């Protein structure tokens, strides 16, 4: 009786210790999950802030690009105006030069006429003086020395004729001088008008050049601002890539922690069909086929031509000797267990004919494919299969989905290969790691 009580006490104590160990093992997973979820939420918030910042920068860059396009168009118009004004100024300068040549020609004519006029005036004065000196001719001498009135008139008429001839010459010279002077004045006026126009054009051109300079400075500022925007956007995108990588890493860790928590807390359920299938042998992960003869080595070894049967996380149990995860007995594992997410597609590793697609208490929903060259591939623990016995399948074709049916402690694919009646290590043929 005492031994029974002692055994009961020891059993309860062991149960308490195991329970504490299980709780202790579970809490860190829960804490890790909570921490990772908080970190992911914080990273998601940072990602949203970066997205908003990038969108704002992109909008600013677009606005700046529109302003830049408008400014470039305005600058182009100003440059065309400056070019046309420059051509107009050149034409006016040529016109002013022509006026200057005309004025110079007229000025020479004017100077020559004035010189001739001065010469004739001096000659006329000298002649009259000589006449008075040599002949004693004067108005008084003609008046008092004439022998008769008729002689007086003759003398007066002679003097008048001489004077009139000189005067006509002088009048012609003066008329020519006035014409030259008037023409010179007109040319000078036109030259002054052209000069005023040229100065106005020069002032306008200076104003346009000033606008062009300001436009150029603004253009340089906008280009520099565009570079700043682009650098800021690149920096934001770089930060975004870093945040996304962090989120992806944290999400992978979170999925792993949740997967481990699921493995430690879930109880696998089997949902066999209502009618048990009729078959002679049911596959198990540690059952050896009926033929025990050592198979010959296949000619197509290596990973070439074989498809990885599922997108998996890691190999949870390799081919060979192991402690069975359910019975705890040391057995030989005739396949590899590929830990994968529930519902991941399962692919035919090579083309062949489906020989079995059914359910077993140990293997759950499973499929066998005969590849026709001595190889048969095995897929256990599916949630369900989507092929039937007798179907021909291509390499890489989906045949079912990863699950945890049958004798399984969590979602995974038990993948096995048989060659000429004996199991072989799948990793020697399929690129698994």
């Amino acid at each position: 009786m005492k031994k029974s009580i002692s055994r009961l006490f020891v059993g309860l104590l062991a149960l308490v210790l195991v329970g504490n160990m299980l709780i202790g093992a579970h809490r860190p997973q829960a804490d890790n999950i909570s921490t990772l979820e908080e970190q992911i939420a914080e990273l998601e918030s940072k990602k949203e802030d970066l997205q908003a910042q990038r969108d704002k920068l992109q909008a600013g860059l677009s606005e700046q690009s529109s302003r830049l396009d408008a400014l470039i168009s305005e600058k182009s118009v100003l440059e065309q105006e400056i070019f046309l004004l420059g051509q107009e100024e050149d034409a006016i300068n040529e016109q002013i030069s022509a006026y200057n040549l005309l004025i110079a020609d007229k000025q020479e004519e004017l100077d020559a006429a004035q010189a001739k006029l001065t010469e004739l005036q001096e000659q006329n004065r000298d002649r009259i003086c000589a006449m008075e000196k040599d002949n004693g001719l004067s108005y008084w001498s003609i008046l008092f020395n004439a022998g008769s009135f008729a002689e007086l008139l003759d003398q007066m008429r002679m003097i008048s004729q001489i004077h009139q001839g000189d005067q006509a010459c002088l009048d012609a010279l003066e008329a020519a001088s006035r014409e030259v002077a008037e023409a010179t004045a007109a040319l000078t006026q036109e030259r002054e008008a052209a000069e005023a126009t040229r100065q106005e054009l020069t002032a306008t051109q200076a104003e346009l050049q000033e606008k062009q300079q300001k436009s150029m400075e603004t253009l340089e500022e906008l280009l520099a601002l565009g570079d700043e925007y682009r650098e800021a956007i690149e920096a934001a995108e770089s930060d975004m890539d870093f945040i996304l990588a962090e989120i992806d890493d944290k999400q992978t860790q979170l999925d792993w922690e949740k997967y481990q928590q699921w493995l430690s807390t879930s109880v696998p359920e089997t949902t066999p069909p209502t009618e048990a299938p009729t078959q002679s042998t049911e596959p198990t992960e540690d059952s050896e086929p009926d033929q025990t003869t050592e198979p010959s080595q296949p000619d197509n070894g290596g990973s070439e031509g074989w498809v990885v049967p599922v997108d998996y996380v890691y190999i949870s149990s390799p081919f060979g000797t192991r402690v069975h995860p359910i019975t705890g007995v040391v057995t030989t594992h005739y396949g590899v267990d590929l830990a994968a997410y529930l519902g991941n597609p399962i692919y035919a590793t090579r083309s062949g004919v489906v020989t079995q697609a059914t359910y077993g208490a140990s293997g759950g929903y499973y499929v066998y494919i005969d590849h026709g060259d001595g190889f048969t591939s095995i897929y256990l623990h599916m949630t369900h299969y989507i092929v039937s016995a007798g179907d021909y399948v291509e390499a890489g074709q989906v045949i079912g989905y990863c699950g945890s049916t049958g004798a399984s402690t969590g979602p995974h694919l038990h993948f096995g290969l048989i060659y000429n009646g004996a199991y072989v290590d799948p990793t020697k043929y399929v690129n698994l790691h």
Side-chain angles (χ1 to χ4, degrees):
M1 182 70 177
K2 289 182 179 180
K3 289 182 179 180
S4 299
I5 294 174
S6 298
R7 288 173 182 173
L8 179 61
F9 176 77
V10 170
L12 290 173
L13 181 60
L15 182 61
V16 170
L17 289 174
V18 171
N20 288 336
M21 290 175 66
L22 291 174
I23 293 172
H26 177 68
R27 283 178 179 171
Q29 290 176 353
D31 292 342
N32 289 340
I33 290 173
S34 178
T35 301
L36 287 170
E37 288 177 342
E38 291 176 0
Q39 291 175 349
I40 290 174
E42 183 179 353
L43 289 170
E44 287 287 349
S45 177
K46 289 182 179 179
K47 183 188 75 171
E48 293 176 359
D49 292 341
L50 281 172
Q51 285 176 336
Q53 179 183 354
R54 184 184 61 182
D55 293 343
K56 184 177 181 180
L57 288 169
Q58 195 66 50
L61 180 60
S62 299
E63 181 182 356
Q64 179 266 348
S65 298
S66 300
R67 288 179 57 200
L68 184 63
D69 292 340
L71 191 61
I72 289 174
S73 300
E74 181 182 352
K75 179 174 173 288
S76 177
V77 172
L78 287 172
E79 288 173 347
Q80 293 179 31
E81 288 182 3
I82 291 171
F83 176 75
L84 293 175
L85 285 172
Q87 288 186 326
E88 189 174 350
E89 185 180 25
D90 291 340
I92 290 176
N93 285 331
E94 291 178 3
Q95 185 179 359
I96 291 173
S97 298
Y99 282 143
N100 288 333
L101 292 175
L102 289 174
I103 290 170
D105 291 340
K106 293 295 182 181
Q107 188 65 49
E108 289 179 359
E109 293 178 13
L110 180 61
D111 292 343
Q114 287 178 341
K116 187 65 175 178
L117 178 61
T118 301
E119 181 182 358
L120 290 173
Q121 287 175 338
E122 291 178 352
Q123 288 177 358
N124 186 49
R125 186 176 59 251
D126 292 342
R127 186 171 59 253
I128 292 173
C129 291
M131 289 172 60
E132 290 179 348
K133 181 178 181 181
D134 295 339
N135 301 321
L137 182 61
S138 68
Y139 288 104
W140 292 109
S141 62
I142 292 172
L143 180 62
F144 293 108
N145 294 328
S148 64
F149 182 72
E151 187 180 354
L152 174 64
L153 290 177
D154 290 337
Q155 293 291 335
M156 291 292 293
R157 188 178 298 111
M158 180 187 64
I159 293 171
S160 176
Q161 288 175 351
I162 294 171
H163 180 69
Q164 287 176 358
D166 291 339
Q167 188 63 44
C169 183
L170 292 174
D171 290 343
L173 289 172
E174 288 179 355
S177 298
R178 283 195 302 272
E179 182 179 350
V180 171
E182 290 173 358
T184 301
L187 288 174
T188 301
Q189 184 177 2
E190 290 180 4
R191 183 181 65 180
E192 290 175 352
E195 181 66 24
T197 302
R198 187 184 67 80
Q199 291 177 357
E200 182 178 350
L201 286 174
T202 301
T204 302
Q205 190 176 40
E207 182 180 355
L208 289 174
Q209 287 176 342
E210 183 180 357
K211 289 182 179 180
Q212 187 187 34
Q213 180 63 29
K214 290 182 179 179
S215 175
M216 200 67 185
E217 292 174 356
T218 305
L219 183 63
E220 291 175 355
E221 291 177 2
L222 287 174
L223 289 174
L225 183 60
D227 291 339
E228 292 179 4
Y229 271 119
R230 278 184 284 275
E231 289 176 1
I233 290 173
E234 289 177 0
E237 289 177 347
S238 177
D239 292 342
M240 179 74 74
D241 292 339
F242 178 78
I243 292 295
L244 290 174
E246 284 288 309
I247 291 174
D248 185 64
D249 182 61
K250 297 297 182 184
Q251 187 63 51
T252 301
Q253 295 180 38
L254 178 61
D255 292 342
W256 173 252
E257 291 293 337
K258 287 183 177 180
Y259 176 70
Q260 292 298 318
Q261 186 185 53
W262 185 89
L263 288 178
S264 64
T265 59
S266 63
V267 178
E269 296 181 359
T270 59
T271 55
T274 55
E275 297 182 2
T278 58
Q279 70 173 46
S280 58
T281 59
E282 178 185 340
T284 65
E285 296 191 9
D286 302 277
S287 63
E288 191 173 4
D290 295 337
Q291 293 126 326
T292 57
T293 58
E294 186 69 24
S296 60
Q297 291 299 318
D299 295 332
N300 57 341
S303 60
E304 185 176 356
W306 298 78
V307 175
V308 176
V310 70
D311 183 13
Y312 63 99
V313 180
Y314 67 104
I315 297 177
S316 57
S317 183
F319 182 90
T321 303
R322 71 165 183 177
V323 177
H324 195 282
I326 296 178
T327 64
V329 178
V330 176
T331 58
T332 300
H333 188 219
Y334 293 103
V336 291
D337 288 348
L338 305 176
Y341 293 109
L342 191 69
N344 277 8
I346 296 173
Y347 311 101
T349 189
R350 289 174 64 202
S351 59
V353 177
V354 177
T355 58
Q356 296 185 50
T358 185
Y359 177 86
S362 179
Y365 290 102
Y366 66 92
V367 169
Y368 274 51
I369 300 176
D370 182 3
H371 301 293
D373 56 355
F375 278 99
T376 298
S377 55
I378 303 171
Y379 313 83
L380 307 184
H381 308 301
M382 296 181 178
T383 60
H384 63 288
Y385 44 78
I386 58 174
V387 292
S388 301
D391 289 348
Y392 178 81
V393 294
E394 297 285 350
Q397 179 177 333
V398 177
I399 60 174
Y401 297 92
C402 183
S404 186
T405 58
S408 171
T409 58
H412 74 285
L413 170 66
H414 171 87
F415 175 59
L417 285 179
I418 297 175
Y419 182 70
N420 289 339
Y423 284 104
V424 292
D425 186 355
T427 60
K428 293 181 178 180
Y429 307 96
V430 186
N431 187 19
L432 302 173
H433 52 81

